[in-house]
Amino acid sequence: MRKLIAGNWKMHGSLADNEALLRALCGGLAAGVHADVAVCVPAPYLAQVQALCTGSPVTWGAQDVSAHEAGPYTGEVSASMLRDFGCRWAIVGHSERRQYHGETDEIVARKAQQALACGITPIVCVGETEAERAQGDTEIVVKRQLAAVIHVVRHCISEIVVAYEPVWAIGTGRTATPEQAQAVHAVLRAQLRAASASERRVRILYGGSMNAGNAAALLAQPDIDGGLIGSASLRAHEFLQIIAAAS
Ligand code: PGA
């Protein structure tokens, strides 16, 4: 199975910076690429990214999607709106949304459901905080977070992507060791297998300070099917190195 390398730009970018980044990225991939590549960008830039990446190996998506289909939800962006701009992916349940926007497991599950209903693949983020890991609760936490999504989208669970992102590793420069990440990925793999009748393998990405230096070792683990990359995805050269490590 091809690995998926997805950039999460978070709240970074400008029309000028995005264009330079995407031109460098598409140019760097022109000679061929053996992984699936995505960028998840701030919603106002979706039209720009669609214009610049159509016909390239780079697919694009959003960093969030509304849990509602349509209606009086000021500020929200629906899955069908994302579909209008060619989005292939939507991150749901990123820890920054759980932490700063009060998203519960149930809200995250409804977001995944909305994305799937519009043919958009949700990248479902799960991950424990440092305190939860210290208490030995990592497995309980990530399984609870994933179970909420499985409960709602069980019939099409093979259509999702999961991202294991330990909260303590996000944006901190502290990466989970390949062994720590693999151990959690194996837990999630078993949970997905038990939930799905399909033989299709669900991709499980690792995220949290993945960079050009540590990507190869993480991606070599048997249950790590790609990466969700924050800050390193804003530097075309480094993002290309990570993509190369996945190929
Ligand atoms: P980071 O972010 O690579 O900057 O740690 C990853 C993420 O939050 O998706």
Side-chain angles (χ1 to χ4, degrees):
M1 167 185 278
R2 276 162 76 96
K3 296 206 190 297
L4 170 62
I5 301 298
N8 173 11
W9 289 4
K10 308 196 180 184
M11 201 170 70
H12 295 290
S14 67
L15 287 172
D17 288 351
N18 303 346
E19 180 163 352
L21 175 56
L22 291 170
R23 287 201 190 285
L25 185 57
C26 293
L29 297 175
V33 54
H34 302 285
D36 291 337
V37 178
V39 289
C40 294
V41 308
Y45 295 130
L46 284 170
Q48 182 198 22
V49 176
Q50 182 178 32
L52 287 169
C53 295
T54 296
S56 84
V58 179
T59 57
W60 56 93
Q63 298 169 13
D64 183 31
V65 63
S66 178
H68 305 282
E69 195 178 330
Y73 302 104
T74 301
E76 291 278 273
V77 176
S78 72
S80 67
M81 294 171 187
L82 299 181
R83 185 178 54 193
D84 274 349
F85 289 93
C87 281
R88 169 95 177 68
W89 318 95
I91 298 172
V92 298
H94 190 281
S95 64
E96 287 152 13
R97 298 221 47 99
R98 292 179 191 262
Q99 190 178 346
Y100 306 131
H101 301 272
E103 292 191 11
T104 62
D105 294 342
E106 289 66 36
I107 291 172
V108 173
R110 290 215 307 277
K111 291 184 171 203
Q113 193 176 31
Q114 286 296 328
L116 285 166
C118 286
I120 294 168
T121 302
I123 301 176
V124 177
C125 298
V126 300
E128 81 288 4
T129 63
E130 184 152 41
E132 288 162 342
R133 176 165 281 265
Q135 282 158 29
D137 287 344
T138 298
E139 198 170 309
I140 294 170
V141 169
V142 298
K143 284 175 84 171
R144 188 202 71 223
Q145 292 172 334
L146 182 56
V149 175
I150 291 173
H151 179 69
V152 170
V153 302
R154 183 180 294 275
H155 56 290
C156 49
I157 197 69
S158 63
E159 305 298 318
I160 74 169
V161 168
V162 175
Y164 169 55
E165 298 208 309
V167 178
W168 48 270
I170 293 176
T172 59
R174 284 174 58 203
T175 320
T177 64
E179 295 72 25
Q180 283 174 324
Q182 167 57 29
V184 178
H185 281 234
V187 166
L188 296 169
R189 173 86 58 217
Q191 188 180 7
L192 288 162
R193 282 237 173 86
S196 166
S198 157
E199 282 303 299
R200 220 172 108 189
R201 179 176 164 117
V202 172
R203 283 192 284 201
I204 308 176
L205 316 182
Y206 169 79
S209 299
M210 191 186 264
N211 57 39
N214 60 32
L218 286 158
L219 294 168
Q221 297 299 312
D223 287 303
I224 300 187
D225 305 314
L228 183 56
I229 292 108
S231 55
S233 74
L234 297 170
R235 298 183 288 273
H237 181 66
E238 182 159 15
F239 196 48
L240 285 165
Q241 286 180 308
I242 298 171
I243 295 164
S247 301

